[in-house]
Amino acid sequence: DKPAGVTSHDVVAQVRQMSGQRRVGHAGTLDPSATGVLIVCLGQATRVAEYLMASDKVYWAQIRLGLSTDTHDAEGEVTATAEVGVGEEEVQEALASFIGSIQQVPPVYSALKHRGTPLYQLARRGITVEREPRSVEIHNVELLDWTPPLLTIRVECSPGTYIRALARDLGQKLGCGAHLQSLTRLASGHFTLEQAVSLDELAEAFAQGN
């Protein structure tokens, strides 16, 4: 259960130190501000990481309407503000329009690589690379709560789907802009948040040889 404020790479480094294993990797990056299921593979299990990454994902997300940022999340600089004049019915309709196979442009700040360099590193240097839309599958979107200007959703989607990009596109569709306020990965394939352990629990288990 990745905590907020650390990168997926940081978690791998901590697990490597705790376990004494040299070969440690993760199966699917979570943004530093996001929490939830991060599959970590040790030793020979690193060979199956790419197959685990190909699993569907489930997310809990909170989206803030009326405020756009350059990173499409709460960490970024505000690029635009607007009045939120939409109701729950319009929000429901807009969310429903994303269900199915859609074309999604990845965020500028993402771990995708351009000629070997992650896009977020280029973006920090002020370099913006054209990103081609990618086909992703949104299996289901459920509106859990609508307290303007915040909405809370549960998303079931294919691997490679950016919830930050979904927030951005939802804001564009509603005409007021939006960004991802917070994100938790509830499941990655068969691995769920209920099964996940915290880094503290993991450290204690390694210390006890459990």
Side-chain angles (χ1 to χ4, degrees), residues 49-153:
E50 63 179 298
Y51 302 105
L52 295 173
M53 273 193 254
S55 302
D56 284 344
K57 311 289 188 286
V58 181
Y59 294 96
W60 174 97
Q62 195 169 58
I63 295 171
R64 165 74 154 82
L65 298 181
L67 211 62
S68 302
T69 72
D70 57 357
T71 56
H72 314 317
D73 65 13
E75 303 291 302
E77 297 289 323
V78 175
T79 56
T81 60
E83 288 291 318
V84 179
V86 295
E88 184 174 341
E89 196 173 320
E90 289 166 280
V91 170
Q92 289 272 29
E93 282 179 17
L95 288 171
S97 71
F98 291 102
I99 295 174
S101 183
I102 62 168
Q103 293 296 304
Q104 189 182 69
V105 177
V108 173
Y109 287 83
S110 67
L112 289 178
K113 290 183 178 178
H114 175 73
R115 295 176 184 169
T117 305
L119 292 183
Y120 68 83
Q121 288 185 10
L122 295 172
R124 283 173 188 159
R125 293 184 220 150
I127 302 167
T128 302
V129 176
E130 277 296 313
R131 286 102 52 224
E132 289 295 318
R134 304 192 311 172
S135 183
V136 298
E137 189 85 24
I138 308 287
H139 305 305
N140 192 42
V141 183
E142 182 185 356
L143 181 63
L144 302 176
D145 184 66
W146 168 238
T147 310
L150 292 174
L151 60 116
T152 306
I153 58 174

Side-chain angles (χ1 to χ4, degrees), residues 111-202:
L112 289 178
K113 290 183 178 178
H114 175 73
R115 295 176 184 169
T117 305
L119 292 183
Y120 68 83
Q121 288 185 10
L122 295 172
R124 283 173 188 159
R125 293 184 220 150
I127 302 167
T128 302
V129 176
E130 277 296 313
R131 286 102 52 224
E132 289 295 318
R134 304 192 311 172
S135 183
V136 298
E137 189 85 24
I138 308 287
H139 305 305
N140 192 42
V141 183
E142 182 185 356
L143 181 63
L144 302 176
D145 184 66
W146 168 238
T147 310
L150 292 174
L151 60 116
T152 306
I153 58 174
R154 183 180 183 276
V155 185
E156 297 171 30
C157 59
S158 66
T161 304
Y162 282 92
I163 307 302
R164 280 183 291 135
L166 179 63
R168 172 200 67 201
D169 297 344
L170 176 67
Q172 288 174 356
K173 188 171 279 281
L174 291 171
C176 57
H179 72 267
L180 183 65
Q181 185 91 356
S182 54
L183 182 72
T184 298
R185 185 149 67 197
L186 302 177
S188 180
H190 296 299
F191 298 91
T192 66
L193 191 56
E194 288 74 29
Q195 299 166 314
V197 294
S198 69
L199 284 172
D200 288 343
E201 287 175 294
L202 194 59

Side-chain angles (χ1 to χ4, degrees), residues 19-42:
S19 64
Q21 283 263 17
R22 278 182 29 253
R23 290 173 64 199
V24 181
H26 67 75
T29 305
L30 267 180
D31 289 340
S33 59
T35 64
V37 176
L38 181 71
I39 303 172
V40 181
C41 303
L42 287 77

